[in-house]
Amino acid sequence: MKFLKHVFLITLLSFLTFSCGRNDVDSSTTNEDLAQKQNETENRITPVSELNSGIRIDGALSKTGTPPSPTGNLNFQISTEKQEAFQEYGFNIKFSTTDEIAGAYILFQDTDGNLLDNYLDVPLSALESGKSSNTKTPMVSKKSSKKQNLLTGDDYIVDVDFDSILPGNFCYDICLYDANGNISVIQNVCVEVEAWGGNFEIIGEWIYDSSNDDNTYTEDISCANGDTVTANFNDDEETWTLVLNANGSYYETYIGIENVIDYEATLNSCTLISSKENYEDKYLGNWAYNEDKETFTIIDFRYENILDASEIENYPDGSVYFNGIDTTAKIISDNLVIIETYSEFNETYTNTYTFKRK
């Protein structure tokens, strides 16, 4: 009887082991097939009708026909390498000029050269410029530094938003103009709209393990008597969970305890006065992987305070979290390693985040 029981248990264990192994293989194969299909959708030619209804530049004027002919009298530098864009978010057109411009003309088209019936006149007031202080501010910092490449005095950005553009490819012509009627040469740039998802290997639930950051931050607080008190912060009591779903959606949570400074009491006493508070924050959005450049992007569309359901923020046009221009994600020794690089004041920095699979 004992022998039969052992045989039964061995058979059962073998069956469960085989079944679990087969389920893991099936799941992996399904995710791999899905990622391949997601990437294949990016090969589509975006039709002119979709461009006409799905692209928006706030502050731009739509004009019938094509832009005026160039005179070639304005300085204009722009990269003509293929750009990447993202559904619901759009993309940025970044260019440089040493001349005093009044705006830019932009004409969208499909990759076969079929033009829209109208072009966009983007005045200087609708451009983000290194010459002014109206550059976009990154969303409130999370674990990642959220650093962005700063604009110099000669740099400009056109913020192009999407209302209903699907994965695919299209192009645009762009030229600059000034107040005296001078028009720069026309540059043609093509864009690939990334599908959400695109890499089956990084799918899963990940728990933050370590980074090259010491996770310690300081703040100097000026006291009423003229002295200074220093506050030290660290996030050792925080659990950061990152979930990348196969369909390209994502969410992450930050659960922990933080020191909340009573600034008024600290200022008056010149002694650090603080208390501990629990927090549970959740960010939701989508992720994309560029299989050609092997780069990784996350865009947030919503924030929720798990402890207070009334605290919700929506980002209709999206807010870049990890920027695919300078961020990679790969599996190393079964860990997810995200590396982001950013420049600030002519210095280049690298942040590396390591996650363990839950």
Side-chain angles (χ1 to χ4, degrees), residues 33-326:
D33 291 342
L34 177 59
Q36 183 175 346
K37 291 178 181 178
Q38 289 165 340
N39 290 328
E40 287 174 354
T41 63
E42 299 166 359
N43 298 326
R44 184 183 71 112
I45 296 177
T46 306
V48 170
S49 58
E50 190 174 318
L51 297 174
N52 188 53
S53 62
I55 288 181
R56 170 171 44 90
I57 299 177
D58 291 341
L61 302 174
S62 178
K63 296 183 176 180
T64 303
T66 57
S69 299
T71 63
N73 295 331
L74 288 180
N75 174 262
F76 181 27
Q77 297 98 37
I78 185 172
S79 172
T80 56
E81 291 185 9
K82 178 177 284 190
Q83 292 184 260
E84 66 178 357
F86 302 93
Q87 301 172 75
E88 300 176 65
Y89 174 76
F91 67 105
N92 287 333
I93 300 173
K94 183 178 179 180
F95 63 86
S96 300
T97 179
T98 55
D99 290 318
E100 295 295 328
I101 62 171
Y105 296 132
I106 302 175
L107 177 59
F108 291 97
Q109 57 197 266
D110 67 21
T111 52
D112 289 332
N114 297 308
L115 308 175
L116 267 67
D117 294 330
N118 60 288
Y119 67 96
L120 296 179
D121 179 349
V122 187
L124 183 62
S125 59
L127 300 176
E128 298 170 26
S129 170
K131 297 179 185 295
S132 64
S133 59
N134 70 336
T135 53
K136 282 187 176 177
T137 302
M139 64 183 298
V140 176
S141 177
K142 301 192 280 183
K143 172 76 74 170
S144 173
S145 65
K146 303 306 157 304
K147 299 295 184 182
Q148 295 186 346
N149 292 331
L150 301 179
L151 297 177
T152 67
D154 297 330
D155 291 339
Y156 295 84
I157 282 180
V158 181
D159 179 15
V160 182
D161 293 314
F162 287 168
D163 290 326
S164 55
I165 301 292
L166 298 175
N169 292 269
F170 65 88
C171 303
Y172 63 88
D173 289 337
I174 180 172
C175 59
L176 312 181
Y177 65 89
D178 66 12
N180 298 317
N182 295 307
I183 301 173
S184 75
V185 296
I186 297 173
Q187 298 283 5
N188 180 263
V189 184
C190 290
V191 178
E192 180 174 275
V193 182
E194 291 286 328
W196 297 129
N199 183 342
F200 74 97
E201 293 181 336
I202 64 176
I203 293 169
E205 188 170 357
W206 303 94
I207 305 298
Y208 169 75
D209 180 64
S210 61
S211 73
N212 61 335
D213 187 352
D214 62 7
N215 300 326
T216 301
Y217 311 90
T218 61
E219 178 183 352
D220 292 329
I221 302 173
S222 298
C223 304
N225 62 9
D227 292 338
T228 300
V229 61
T230 300
N232 294 305
F233 303 88
N234 66 71
D235 52 14
D236 291 337
E237 297 180 88
E238 177 182 79
T239 299
W240 176 16
T241 303
L242 176 67
V243 180
L244 303 175
N245 296 314
N247 65 359
S249 64
Y250 113 99
Y251 72 86
E252 65 178 350
T253 58
Y254 297 88
I255 300 175
I257 302 172
E258 64 180 341
N259 286 317
V260 179
I261 299 173
D262 185 331
Y263 282 92
E264 184 176 356
T266 299
L267 185 148
N268 291 328
S269 66
C270 211
T271 301
L272 184 64
I273 308 296
S274 64
S275 59
K276 290 185 176 294
E277 291 186 9
N278 294 324
Y279 63 89
E280 294 187 24
D281 296 325
K282 185 175 185 178
Y283 295 83
L284 304 94
N286 293 87
W287 65 275
Y289 186 84
N290 187 316
E291 70 277 16
D292 296 322
K293 298 180 179 179
E294 299 183 339
T295 53
F296 176 68
T297 297
I298 288 182
I299 296 179
D300 287 318
F301 289 100
R302 183 178 175 88
Y303 160 77
E304 297 175 357
N305 183 337
I306 300 175
L307 299 180
D308 184 353
S310 66
E311 288 191 20
I312 295 175
E313 292 182 50
N314 291 306
Y315 315 113
D317 292 326
S319 180
V320 173
Y321 177 24
F322 283 111
N323 188 338
I325 296 175
D326 45 31

